[in-house]
Amino acid sequence: MAQKTYRDAIREALREEMLRDENVLIMGEEVGVWGGTYAVTRGLYGEFGDKRILDTPIAEEAIVGTAVGAAMGGLRPVAELMTINFSLVAMDQIVNNAAKIHAMFGSQARVPLVIRTPAGWGQLAATHSQSFEAWFAHVPGLIVVMPSTPYDAKGLLKTAIRSDNPVMFIEHARLYGVKGEVPDGEYTLPFGVSDIKRPGRDVTIVSYSRMLHVALSAADELAKTGIECEVIDLRTLRPLDMAPVYDSVEKTHRVLILEEDWTTCGMGAEIAARISHDRFDLLDVPVERMGQIEVPMPYARNLEALMFPDEKSVAQKVMEMVA
Amino acid sequence: MASTSPARISIEDAAGINVTREEALDWFRKMSLIRRFEERAEEAYGQGKIGGFLHLYIGEEAVAVGAMAALQPEDDVITHYRDHGYVLARGVEPKRVMAELYGKATGLSKGKGGSMHMADVRRHLWGGYAIVGGHIPLATGLALAIQYRKLPQIVACFFGDGATNAGTFYSGLNLAAVWKLPLIAIVENNHYGMGTALERVSAVDEVYRKASSFDIPGVRIDGNDVLAVRDAVRRMADQSRNGGGPQLIEAMTYRFRGHSMGDPQRYRTKEEVEEAKSRDPIARWRSTVQENDLATEDELRKIGDEVEAEVEEAVRFAENSPAPDPGELCNDVLVSE
């Protein structure tokens, strides 16, 4: 199977959907002439022109609001927010309009919209290095996708573009160069299906997006000591598919949740609550959560490196859990 | 209070009486219907039959009725939360609007939208929005879809003077102007954003001048003159429909009631309100109709009686309609796929 980067897989999904359906268009800051700040849309402007690849001003509320209106009016816009940090400027449009229009008007209107946005960090300091996936997953009316691999990114983005619902499609800037198998043929992946990325019997690690890769590295290291972790990728945070997690707990009786957001009121809190409610009797140790240190992101490289769990700290935590 | 003298407001005057008798009576009927409907809603609110916020449109009826008379049925309309007038002016059955106010299953949005979120998508009414200015970019998007799909219609976006100081006003209209979208923005300047007079919080209180921010046409009209509204909206809509890009209309009007029910109105004097009522759009149109021999006093009274009966029927319908089935609670959150 062909090896492709996460970036190329996303671009392929965009291109194929634009070829398939003329109502799909892309809009956002620097998506056209520039080719996308993370080069995801590179080449599409040349192929599809300025009627379908729309460069916008730096005005996120207008980008999202216009995309919502265009979606109501019969198009299938894919709006790009340059980073998830800028979603704050568009929050009213996302939460009050995109998420509510279908319900508020008694199903008279629908909003087939995708908002693509990278999360991530890299000496970008406090305002450009935030993880807001839990904020969006909090809101009924939104679908929240956060893929970890090129294969998942392509299949889920195609589903998102074809969906009649508003989708927050959160990529990760540090995954764009990651390669993985992506078949050439047409495929889509359903929302609300978690994926077992590595089978195991001793500890269940639940994760998504970049932290999934940290989990897999830690699991590889732990395997050398005889500890087998089952690593589950949630892939969509809303709808949230807990079934594979519950099945896994029946084998391992131990769960560690890895997330890149702050743990207070983060995704892990929701997952831990569901496990403790639905599978309390199966737990041998309390559900553990590891996430970002609860401070605004520092700029200094050495301090930034201390912010997230890494392979070593995750392995250490797992060893404590099985001790 | 700024800019209420007719000499200043009538930057654009209607060029004489150019209406048919049928139109004249239709406008009188619709304005009367909106007025009576809202007076009755106010009463029902006082009886606790309508909950939440209720923002009355009383005093501003000429804007909705004049604008709808100028628009084509397939033109898209999107509005702010003071929205009962627009749906009634477009011909939505009053009983379905009243039922929505009552939160009944027979309401326009099955009781899920309420007063601030009136929509009838079949009639190209894309809803009322309760965050000030939040729907302006949506109007831009609807207009983008029209341009992209090469459809013949335009979008009419209504909002109050208060919204013209929000970021969405600038970011939404800027993009509409850049892309030359078929959009007319109709600002109802009723002088107050809740209880704050426009000139106290807006560096420019002649809203039509804000059109120059986007290099688009902007006009100020007498929003209490239904004919002036119809003519201005028709002219601006034609320009927009023919590739002229977005247009801005500032309709000068006044709300006779408070911002919403329970507003003690300490920010304005009784004299000011009484003075404004002397320019009541319905009374004015009634006089114009009579002065031009378009209808007799008896005919107008008969219309008033019919409107009264229609509103009472709407109330009966709303009161006798069932509440939404509890099973409806979790429906419509997502489109099922």
Side-chain angles (χ1 to χ4, degrees):
Chain A
M1 214 188 283
Q3 290 281 318
K4 289 169 190 164
T5 64
Y6 188 86
R7 171 186 288 111
D8 290 342
I10 293 167
R11 186 190 304 114
E12 269 190 14
L14 291 170
R15 183 172 175 275
E16 288 173 17
E17 292 306 296
M18 289 188 77
L19 289 170
R20 190 184 61 80
D21 181 351
E22 64 172 16
N23 286 324
V24 177
L25 49 86
I26 291 174
M27 52 194 296
E29 293 155 10
E30 310 297 353
V31 295
V33 176
W34 185 296
T37 41
Y38 288 96
V40 173
T41 54
R42 182 184 291 158
L44 298 180
Y45 186 80
E47 182 172 2
F48 295 101
D50 63 3
K51 291 287 174 248
R52 298 190 65 192
I53 311 288
L54 283 69
D55 279 319
T56 66
I58 302 167
E60 286 79 10
E61 62 190 3
I63 296 168
V64 176
T66 300
V68 170
M72 292 162 76
L75 304 184
R76 292 189 169 274
V78 180
E80 179 176 308
L81 292 177
M82 196 183 288
T83 89
I84 199 166
N85 302 280
F86 305 162
S87 71
L88 301 188
V89 182
M91 213 58 171
D92 174 54
Q93 295 300 332
I94 298 170
V95 175
N96 278 321
N97 290 340
K100 304 221 167 82
I101 280 169
H102 184 63
M104 190 163 75
F105 299 132
S107 78
Q108 294 185 73
R110 47 184 66 183
V111 183
L113 163 71
V114 180
I115 299 173
R116 281 187 46 243
T117 185
W121 43 278
Q123 283 205 285
L124 298 169
T127 64
H128 274 55
S129 310
Q130 304 182 85
S131 299
F132 293 136
E133 62 270 18
W135 292 23
F136 297 111
H138 184 64
V139 180
L142 294 178
I143 287 169
V144 182
V145 181
M146 205 161 176
S148 65
T149 68
Y151 177 84
D152 291 351
K154 182 173 178 183
L156 286 164
L157 182 54
K158 287 168 82 83
T159 301
I161 292 170
R162 297 177 195 187
S163 169
D164 277 343
N165 290 300
V167 180
M168 288 297 298
F169 193 89
I170 305 172
E171 299 160 14
H172 198 293
R174 297 182 86 84
L175 292 179
Y176 283 135
V178 166
K179 284 191 172 175
E181 290 183 346
V182 178
D184 287 325
E186 158 82 14
Y187 71 95
T188 59
L189 293 174
F191 298 144
V193 179
S194 298
D195 186 41
I196 299 168
K197 290 286 198 276
R198 184 191 209 280
R201 59 166 192 268
D202 299 317
V203 174
T204 303
I205 304 180
V206 180
S207 192
Y208 55 93
S209 192
R210 190 190 71 92
M211 290 306 283
L212 189 275
H213 299 272
V214 174
L216 289 171
S217 299
D220 285 346
E221 283 306 302
L222 287 160
K224 293 173 191 167
T225 69
I227 301 170
E228 291 293 335
C229 296
E230 181 144 290
V231 180
I232 297 175
D233 184 356
L234 297 173
R235 299 201 291 198
T236 64
L237 305 182
R238 189 178 187 114
L240 184 58
D241 173 25
M242 292 297 290
V245 177
Y246 294 160
D247 289 347
S248 186
V249 180
E250 288 187 15
K251 285 190 290 185
T252 66
H253 309 286
R254 293 170 177 83
V255 184
L256 168 62
I257 303 158
L258 285 188
E259 56 198 312
E260 207 169 271
D261 57 352
W262 296 302
T263 48
T264 299
C265 303
M267 275 311 300
E270 176 63 32
I271 298 158
R274 293 198 193 193
I275 294 168
S276 63
H277 184 273
D278 293 346
R279 292 295 186 276
F280 184 73
D281 292 347
L282 293 175
L283 292 171
D284 283 352
V285 296
V287 174
E288 295 283 352
R289 287 182 285 156
M290 297 176 78
Q292 183 176 160
I293 304 294
E294 304 229 359
V295 297
M297 182 74 84
Y299 164 74
R301 187 178 302 222
N302 69 319
L303 295 180
E304 184 187 61
L306 299 173
M307 286 292 283
F308 298 102
D310 61 9
E311 188 184 315
K312 269 190 191 161
S313 59
V314 170
Q316 179 63 39
K317 175 64 75 180
V318 168
M319 284 192 284
E320 289 166 16
M321 291 172 72
V322 296
Chain B
M1 177 183 149
S3 322
T4 49
S5 76
R8 281 193 70 200
I9 13 187
S10 298
I11 284 177
E12 291 238 329
D13 269 320
I17 296 291
N18 55 343
V19 290
T20 64
R21 178 182 132 86
E22 195 186 7
E23 285 170 324
L25 296 189
D26 180 51
W27 301 350
F28 179 74
R29 178 188 300 276
K30 284 189 172 134
M31 288 196 290
S32 303
L33 172 66
I34 297 169
R35 176 73 54 94
R36 186 65 202 127
F37 180 95
E38 291 212 313
E39 286 168 350
R40 198 61 184 79
E42 189 176 26
E43 207 179 307
Y45 188 90
Q47 294 165 343
K49 292 176 175 172
I50 295 173
F53 292 145
L54 186 70
H55 306 90
L56 299 179
Y57 194 62
I58 290 174
E60 305 183 29
E61 296 91 344
V63 182
V65 172
M68 295 305 168
L71 297 171
Q72 299 298 317
E74 70 274 15
D75 286 336
D76 289 323
V77 171
I78 186 163
T79 76
H80 57 154
Y81 53 85
R82 195 179 301 284
D83 57 356
H84 315 146
Y86 309 109
V87 291
L88 292 172
R90 192 155 251 212
V92 176
E93 310 92 304
K95 60 182 189 177
R96 299 206 58 212
V97 186
M98 191 64 85
E100 188 63 28
L101 290 178
Y102 271 69
K104 295 297 182 72
T106 51
L108 279 178
S109 297
K110 310 180 206 171
K112 294 186 181 183
S115 170
M116 300 191 284
H117 308 296
M118 292 289 175
D120 189 347
V121 168
R122 284 170 314 150
R123 286 187 175 83
H124 293 265
L125 291 164
W126 291 97
Y129 294 79
I131 305 295
V132 171
H135 65 298
I136 300 174
L138 267 54
T140 304
L142 284 167
L144 173 66
I146 288 168
Q147 185 188 65
Y148 188 89
R149 298 170 66 197
K150 300 186 170 66
L151 301 175
Q153 70 256 42
I154 62 158
V155 178
C157 178
F158 294 86
F159 47 95
D161 46 281
T164 68
N165 294 310
T168 44
F169 171 78
Y170 294 93
S171 59
L173 287 184
N174 174 65
L175 207 39
V178 169
W179 291 337
K180 287 211 173 308
L181 298 179
L183 168 69
I184 56 172
I186 302 170
V187 185
E188 282 187 36
N189 186 342
N190 65 17
H191 303 287
Y192 294 96
M194 287 193 69
T196 301
L198 180 64
E199 67 269 18
R200 292 180 58 214
V201 290
S202 189
V204 172
D205 63 359
E206 292 173 312
V207 171
Y208 73 98
R209 288 172 54 208
K210 295 187 178 185
S212 65
S213 310
F214 321 108
D215 200 18
I216 64 173
V219 296
R220 176 179 267 198
I221 62 168
D222 182 347
N224 289 338
D225 179 347
V226 64
L227 183 57
V229 175
R230 196 279 308 263
D231 287 349
V233 171
R234 185 148 73 184
R235 193 167 59 74
M236 300 302 253
D238 281 349
Q239 275 171 221
S240 196
R241 213 183 294 279
N242 294 321
Q247 321 272 317
L248 187 144
I249 298 171
E250 178 188 16
M252 302 304 291
T253 184
Y254 198 85
R255 70 170 146 72
F256 295 172
R257 298 294 201 274
H259 165 71
S260 66
M261 304 297 291
D263 169 2
Q265 302 191 57
R266 292 195 193 96
Y267 50 85
R268 60 187 189 182
T269 62
K270 282 199 174 67
E271 292 73 29
E272 179 186 309
V273 178
E274 286 311 309
E275 201 268 333
K277 283 181 179 172
S278 70
R279 291 186 302 277
D280 184 328
I282 301 178
R284 271 176 70 176
W285 188 240
R286 185 185 189 106
S287 304
T288 305
V289 166
Q290 288 181 304
E291 282 160 21
N292 290 276
D293 295 324
L294 291 165
T296 64
E297 177 62 32
D298 276 354
E299 284 173 311
L300 294 174
R301 195 178 307 117
K302 184 160 173 281
I303 288 173
D305 292 345
E306 284 163 5
V307 160
E308 177 72 32
E310 196 178 1
V311 169
E312 284 314 313
E313 175 54 33
V315 170
R316 260 196 305 279
F317 176 80
E319 295 197 343
N320 295 332
S321 286
D325 188 286
E328 261 295 319
L329 179 61
C330 295
N331 291 344
D332 305 333
V333 178
L334 291 173
V335 178
S336 42
E337 298 179 302

